[in-house]
Amino acid sequence: VKVDQQTSVGYLVGPGDLVDVYAVSTKPDPGQPGGVAIESPLLASDLLVFAVDATMLTRDGTRARRPGTPYTSVTFAVTPAEHAKLLAAAQRSAKLSLTLKSKKQG
């Protein structure tokens, strides 16, 4: 998935993190002439970030990249169904946006 600072939580997403992925798109707002309505349905939940650009976790499980370092792509471990949803949203020109999840179990 292509990302920027806004869609990747300020470049804080890293390998090993869990994220939710939303498809953000706009359409004309019928209730407001010339207005725009924003839609952002949840596409996939609790996806494991496998890599950021070409950086994965090191053998000891630590990150090789400092949080906040700019990057352009994030790779997830997904099921075939999740892959199909992400691909379909990208084909519709939706902007995919990530939300970082807590690793705490509760």
Side-chain angles (χ1 to χ4, degrees):
V1 171
K2 292 184 184 223
V3 295
D4 58 24
Q5 185 175 9
Q6 181 181 4
T7 61
S8 67
V9 194
Y11 297 125
L12 295 177
V13 172
D17 285 338
L18 292 178
V19 297
D20 288 347
V21 180
Y22 291 85
V24 181
S25 60
T26 59
K27 67 178 187 176
D29 185 349
Q32 186 176 13
V36 176
I38 298 172
E39 296 180 329
S40 58
L42 176 65
L43 291 182
S45 184
D46 296 328
L47 294 185
L48 175 66
V49 175
F50 181 74
V52 170
D53 280 345
T55 303
M56 296 181 276
L57 291 177
T58 61
R59 291 188 188 270
D60 67 359
T62 60
R63 290 183 183 184
R65 175 189 301 269
R66 289 185 32 211
T69 304
Y71 48 87
T72 59
S73 67
V74 175
T75 303
F76 308 109
V78 296
T79 65
E82 290 166 332
H83 178 259
K85 285 174 107 175
L86 295 171
L87 187 59
Q91 292 296 320
R92 290 191 313 266
S93 298
K95 188 171 190 176
L96 301 183
S97 185
L98 313 179
T99 58
L100 191 56
K101 305 283 293 248
S102 171
K103 290 184 182 182
K104 292 181 182 180
Q105 300 296 322

